[in-house]
Amino acid sequence: GQQVMQIPQYQHVQEGEDFTTYCNSSTTLSNIQWYKQRPGGHPVFLIQLVKSGEVKKQKRLTFQFGEAKKNSSLHITATQTTDVGTYFCAGPTGSGGSNYKLTFGKGTLLTVNP
Amino acid sequence: NAGVTQTPKFRVLKTGQSMTLLCAQDMNHEYMYWYRQDPGMGLRLIHYSVGEGTTAKGEVPDGYNVSRLKKQNFLLGLESAAPSQTSVYFCASSRQGDYQPQHFGDGTRLSIL
């Protein structure tokens, strides 16, 4: 079945440093979604990428979708303590238009030292 | 709007006991999902529903049952709890159609002793 791999599993940075997490799929994705989960909280939708090579920005966060639509990345510029949490990518599961089901990567836990 | 509400928030069970986790959404979403989250394992889909009266198995359905008698509610049942079912359970919902984001509840932290 489809697999969505995320690296790194953990990342600890000093406040102000940049952070990047990478997501790779074993199959071509029609779209990819990113979620953030604060410690003790629930996943919250951040953004969705649909087009090949797409780049979207949300303030200090930059999301990219690869040209082959098999990989994606999330880059945070100048991290802040509010960025702490686990970042998940998720791609649609299965074929035939089952885009309402998602396969989640295992996530990257970001900790920030103030 | 409350969004997605899960009850209870915490529960401790003994092995062999049964219980039902409740999920309610007030966004009129067609699709609903139950996930479990274990350390280092991400979110794994247990069961899902694409509409009232319909349910389907996800990635890890064994030991669980679900029901969707009303559009706004999705129930997850543990028939005979086992320690391996100790986890955090999240319910989510989304609109009908492709590429819709999922909205999650706060989770239920379940321990099986």
Short mmCIF file of all heavy atoms in Angstrom, two decimals, chain B residues 1-35:
data_model
loop_
_atom_site.label_atom_id
_atom_site.label_comp_id
_atom_site.label_asym_id
_atom_site.label_seq_id
_atom_site.Cartn_x
_atom_site.Cartn_y
_atom_site.Cartn_z
N ASN B 1 -19.74 27.72 16.84
CA ASN B 1 -19.81 26.28 16.58
C ASN B 1 -18.74 25.55 17.37
O ASN B 1 -17.63 26.03 17.53
CB ASN B 1 -19.58 26.01 15.09
CG ASN B 1 -20.77 26.40 14.25
OD1 ASN B 1 -21.84 26.64 14.80
ND2 ASN B 1 -20.59 26.45 12.96
N ALA B 2 -19.08 24.36 17.85
CA ALA B 2 -18.14 23.59 18.65
C ALA B 2 -17.16 22.83 17.76
O ALA B 2 -16.09 22.48 18.20
CB ALA B 2 -18.89 22.63 19.55
N GLY B 3 -17.53 22.53 16.52
CA GLY B 3 -16.66 21.77 15.63
C GLY B 3 -16.86 20.29 15.86
O GLY B 3 -17.95 19.76 15.70
N VAL B 4 -15.77 19.60 16.24
CA VAL B 4 -15.82 18.17 16.51
C VAL B 4 -15.62 17.97 18.01
O VAL B 4 -14.61 18.42 18.56
CB VAL B 4 -14.73 17.42 15.73
CG1 VAL B 4 -14.78 15.93 16.05
CG2 VAL B 4 -14.89 17.66 14.23
N THR B 5 -16.57 17.31 18.64
CA THR B 5 -16.53 17.09 20.08
C THR B 5 -16.41 15.61 20.39
O THR B 5 -17.21 14.81 19.90
CB THR B 5 -17.79 17.65 20.75
OG1 THR B 5 -17.92 19.04 20.45
CG2 THR B 5 -17.72 17.47 22.27
N GLN B 6 -15.44 15.25 21.20
CA GLN B 6 -15.25 13.85 21.59
C GLN B 6 -15.50 13.69 23.08
O GLN B 6 -15.07 14.52 23.89
CB GLN B 6 -13.82 13.41 21.30
CG GLN B 6 -13.50 13.29 19.82
CD GLN B 6 -12.10 12.75 19.58
OE1 GLN B 6 -11.32 13.37 18.89
NE2 GLN B 6 -11.81 11.59 20.15
N THR B 7 -16.19 12.62 23.43
CA THR B 7 -16.38 12.25 24.83
C THR B 7 -16.17 10.76 25.01
O THR B 7 -16.54 9.96 24.13
CB THR B 7 -17.79 12.62 25.33
OG1 THR B 7 -18.76 12.06 24.44
CG2 THR B 7 -17.95 14.13 25.40
N PRO B 8 -15.56 10.31 26.14
CA PRO B 8 -14.94 11.16 27.15
C PRO B 8 -13.58 11.66 26.71
O PRO B 8 -13.09 11.27 25.66
CB PRO B 8 -14.83 10.21 28.34
CG PRO B 8 -14.55 8.89 27.69
CD PRO B 8 -15.39 8.88 26.43
N LYS B 9 -12.94 12.48 27.51
CA LYS B 9 -11.59 12.94 27.20
C LYS B 9 -10.54 11.98 27.75
O LYS B 9 -9.45 11.85 27.18
CB LYS B 9 -11.36 14.34 27.79
CG LYS B 9 -12.24 15.40 27.16
CD LYS B 9 -11.81 16.79 27.59
CE LYS B 9 -12.76 17.83 27.01
NZ LYS B 9 -12.86 17.74 25.54
N PHE B 10 -10.83 11.33 28.84
CA PHE B 10 -9.92 10.35 29.45
C PHE B 10 -10.75 9.16 29.93
O PHE B 10 -11.88 9.31 30.36
CB PHE B 10 -9.18 10.94 30.66
CG PHE B 10 -8.41 12.18 30.39
CD1 PHE B 10 -9.00 13.42 30.61
CD2 PHE B 10 -7.12 12.12 29.92
CE1 PHE B 10 -8.29 14.59 30.36
CE2 PHE B 10 -6.41 13.28 29.67
CZ PHE B 10 -7.00 14.52 29.89
N ARG B 11 -10.12 8.00 29.88
CA ARG B 11 -10.80 6.82 30.42
C ARG B 11 -9.76 5.76 30.69
O ARG B 11 -8.82 5.56 29.92
CB ARG B 11 -11.83 6.30 29.43
CG ARG B 11 -12.69 5.16 29.95
CD ARG B 11 -13.70 5.61 30.98
NE ARG B 11 -14.45 4.49 31.51
CZ ARG B 11 -15.60 4.05 31.03
NH1 ARG B 11 -16.14 4.65 29.96
NH2 ARG B 11 -16.20 3.02 31.57
N VAL B 12 -9.98 5.05 31.81
CA VAL B 12 -9.15 3.89 32.15
C VAL B 12 -10.06 2.67 32.20
O VAL B 12 -11.08 2.70 32.89
CB VAL B 12 -8.42 4.07 33.49
CG1 VAL B 12 -7.60 2.82 33.82
CG2 VAL B 12 -7.51 5.30 33.45
N LEU B 13 -9.68 1.64 31.49
CA LEU B 13 -10.46 0.41 31.45
C LEU B 13 -9.62 -0.76 31.91
O LEU B 13 -8.38 -0.72 31.85
CB LEU B 13 -10.93 0.12 30.02
CG LEU B 13 -11.99 0.97 29.37
CD1 LEU B 13 -12.24 0.48 27.96
CD2 LEU B 13 -13.27 0.95 30.19
N LYS B 14 -10.31 -1.80 32.32
CA LYS B 14 -9.63 -3.06 32.59
C LYS B 14 -9.73 -3.94 31.35
O LYS B 14 -10.70 -3.85 30.57
CB LYS B 14 -10.25 -3.75 33.78
CG LYS B 14 -10.06 -2.99 35.09
CD LYS B 14 -10.68 -3.75 36.25
CE LYS B 14 -10.48 -2.99 37.57
NZ LYS B 14 -11.10 -3.69 38.71
N THR B 15 -8.75 -4.80 31.17
CA THR B 15 -8.77 -5.75 30.06
C THR B 15 -10.09 -6.52 30.04
O THR B 15 -10.54 -7.02 31.08
CB THR B 15 -7.60 -6.72 30.17
OG1 THR B 15 -6.37 -5.98 30.09
CG2 THR B 15 -7.62 -7.73 29.05
N GLY B 16 -10.69 -6.59 28.86
CA GLY B 16 -11.94 -7.32 28.70
C GLY B 16 -13.19 -6.46 28.79
O GLY B 16 -14.26 -6.88 28.36
N GLN B 17 -13.06 -5.27 29.35
CA GLN B 17 -14.22 -4.38 29.42
C GLN B 17 -14.52 -3.80 28.04
O GLN B 17 -13.68 -3.79 27.15
CB GLN B 17 -13.97 -3.25 30.42
CG GLN B 17 -13.99 -3.69 31.87
CD GLN B 17 -13.84 -2.50 32.82
OE1 GLN B 17 -13.07 -1.58 32.60
NE2 GLN B 17 -14.61 -2.55 33.91
N SER B 18 -15.74 -3.34 27.91
CA SER B 18 -16.14 -2.71 26.66
C SER B 18 -16.50 -1.26 26.91
O SER B 18 -16.81 -0.88 28.05
CB SER B 18 -17.33 -3.45 26.05
OG SER B 18 -18.46 -3.36 26.92
N MET B 19 -16.42 -0.45 25.87
CA MET B 19 -16.84 0.94 25.99
C MET B 19 -17.07 1.52 24.61
O MET B 19 -16.66 0.94 23.60
CB MET B 19 -15.83 1.77 26.75
CG MET B 19 -14.62 2.23 25.97
SD MET B 19 -13.78 3.61 26.78
CE MET B 19 -15.00 4.90 26.64
N THR B 20 -17.73 2.68 24.61
CA THR B 20 -18.01 3.39 23.38
C THR B 20 -17.48 4.81 23.48
O THR B 20 -17.74 5.50 24.47
CB THR B 20 -19.52 3.43 23.10
OG1 THR B 20 -20.01 2.09 22.98
CG2 THR B 20 -19.80 4.17 21.80
N LEU B 21 -16.74 5.21 22.45
CA LEU B 21 -16.28 6.58 22.34
C LEU B 21 -17.23 7.34 21.43
O LEU B 21 -17.62 6.84 20.37
CB LEU B 21 -14.86 6.63 21.75
CG LEU B 21 -13.68 6.36 22.69
CD1 LEU B 21 -13.73 4.95 23.25
CD2 LEU B 21 -12.37 6.58 21.95
N LEU B 22 -17.59 8.54 21.87
CA LEU B 22 -18.57 9.31 21.13
C LEU B 22 -17.90 10.47 20.38
O LEU B 22 -16.99 11.12 20.90
CB LEU B 22 -19.62 9.87 22.08
CG LEU B 22 -20.27 8.89 23.03
CD1 LEU B 22 -21.28 9.61 23.91
CD2 LEU B 22 -20.95 7.76 22.27
N CYS B 23 -18.35 10.71 19.16
CA CYS B 23 -17.87 11.83 18.37
C CYS B 23 -19.07 12.53 17.77
O CYS B 23 -19.94 11.87 17.16
CB CYS B 23 -16.94 11.35 17.27
SG CYS B 23 -16.34 12.67 16.18
N ALA B 24 -19.11 13.83 17.93
CA ALA B 24 -20.21 14.62 17.37
C ALA B 24 -19.63 15.83 16.65
O ALA B 24 -18.71 16.48 17.16
CB ALA B 24 -21.16 15.08 18.48
N GLN B 25 -20.17 16.11 15.46
CA GLN B 25 -19.74 17.29 14.71
C GLN B 25 -20.95 18.11 14.30
O GLN B 25 -22.00 17.56 13.95
CB GLN B 25 -18.89 16.89 13.49
CG GLN B 25 -19.52 15.88 12.55
CD GLN B 25 -20.25 16.46 11.37
OE1 GLN B 25 -20.27 17.68 11.15
NE2 GLN B 25 -20.87 15.58 10.58
N ASP B 26 -20.76 19.43 14.33
CA ASP B 26 -21.88 20.33 14.04
C ASP B 26 -21.63 21.13 12.76
O ASP B 26 -22.19 22.22 12.58
CB ASP B 26 -22.14 21.27 15.22
CG ASP B 26 -20.94 22.16 15.55
OD1 ASP B 26 -19.92 22.10 14.82
OD2 ASP B 26 -21.03 22.89 16.54
N MET B 27 -20.80 20.60 11.88
CA MET B 27 -20.45 21.30 10.64
C MET B 27 -21.17 20.71 9.43
O MET B 27 -20.87 21.07 8.29
CB MET B 27 -18.93 21.23 10.44
CG MET B 27 -18.16 21.95 11.54
SD MET B 27 -16.37 21.75 11.44
CE MET B 27 -16.18 20.10 12.10
N ASN B 28 -22.07 19.77 9.67
CA ASN B 28 -22.82 19.13 8.60
C ASN B 28 -21.91 18.40 7.60
O ASN B 28 -22.20 18.33 6.40
CB ASN B 28 -23.70 20.15 7.84
CG ASN B 28 -24.84 19.47 7.10
OD1 ASN B 28 -25.40 18.47 7.56
ND2 ASN B 28 -25.19 20.01 5.96
N HIS B 29 -20.81 17.87 8.11
CA HIS B 29 -19.87 17.14 7.26
C HIS B 29 -20.40 15.75 6.95
O HIS B 29 -20.96 15.07 7.80
CB HIS B 29 -18.51 17.04 7.95
CG HIS B 29 -17.74 18.32 7.93
ND1 HIS B 29 -16.58 18.48 8.66
CD2 HIS B 29 -17.94 19.48 7.28
CE1 HIS B 29 -16.09 19.70 8.45
NE2 HIS B 29 -16.92 20.33 7.61
N GLU B 30 -20.13 15.34 5.69
CA GLU B 30 -20.54 14.00 5.27
C GLU B 30 -19.61 12.92 5.80
O GLU B 30 -20.03 11.85 6.16
CB GLU B 30 -20.56 13.92 3.74
CG GLU B 30 -21.73 14.62 3.09
CD GLU B 30 -23.05 13.93 3.38
OE1 GLU B 30 -23.06 12.70 3.62
OE2 GLU B 30 -24.10 14.62 3.38
N TYR B 31 -18.31 13.21 5.77
CA TYR B 31 -17.32 12.19 6.08
C TYR B 31 -16.85 12.31 7.51
O TYR B 31 -16.60 13.41 8.01
CB TYR B 31 -16.10 12.32 5.15
CG TYR B 31 -16.39 12.21 3.68
CD1 TYR B 31 -15.53 12.75 2.74
CD2 TYR B 31 -17.53 11.55 3.21
CE1 TYR B 31 -15.78 12.65 1.39
CE2 TYR B 31 -17.79 11.45 1.86
CZ TYR B 31 -16.91 12.01 0.94
OH TYR B 31 -17.16 11.90 -0.39
N MET B 32 -16.69 11.15 8.14
CA MET B 32 -16.15 11.10 9.49
C MET B 32 -15.16 9.96 9.62
O MET B 32 -15.27 8.95 8.91
CB MET B 32 -17.27 10.98 10.53
CG MET B 32 -18.21 12.20 10.54
SD MET B 32 -19.41 12.19 11.87
CE MET B 32 -18.38 12.62 13.28
N TYR B 33 -14.21 10.13 10.54
CA TYR B 33 -13.09 9.19 10.65
C TYR B 33 -12.74 8.96 12.11
O TYR B 33 -12.88 9.86 12.93
CB TYR B 33 -11.84 9.77 9.96
CG TYR B 33 -12.06 10.37 8.59
CD1 TYR B 33 -12.54 11.67 8.45
CD2 TYR B 33 -11.78 9.63 7.44
CE1 TYR B 33 -12.73 12.23 7.21
CE2 TYR B 33 -11.97 10.19 6.18
CZ TYR B 33 -12.45 11.49 6.08
OH TYR B 33 -12.64 12.03 4.84
N TRP B 34 -12.23 7.77 12.38
CA TRP B 34 -11.62 7.48 13.67
C TRP B 34 -10.17 7.07 13.44
O TRP B 34 -9.88 6.18 12.64
CB TRP B 34 -12.34 6.35 14.41
CG TRP B 34 -13.53 6.81 15.20
CD1 TRP B 34 -14.85 6.61 14.91
CD2 TRP B 34 -13.51 7.52 16.44
NE1 TRP B 34 -15.64 7.17 15.88
CE2 TRP B 34 -14.85 7.73 16.83
CE3 TRP B 34 -12.49 8.00 17.26
CZ2 TRP B 34 -15.19 8.40 18.01
CZ3 TRP B 34 -12.83 8.67 18.42
CH2 TRP B 34 -14.17 8.86 18.78
N TYR B 35 -9.28 7.74 14.18
CA TYR B 35 -7.85 7.42 14.13
C TYR B 35 -7.37 7.04 15.53
O TYR B 35 -7.93 7.45 16.54
CB TYR B 35 -7.03 8.64 13.70
CG TYR B 35 -7.25 9.12 12.30
CD1 TYR B 35 -8.21 10.09 12.01
CD2 TYR B 35 -6.46 8.65 11.25
CE1 TYR B 35 -8.39 10.56 10.73
CE2 TYR B 35 -6.63 9.12 9.95
CZ TYR B 35 -7.59 10.07 9.71
OH TYR B 35 -7.75 10.54 8.42
#
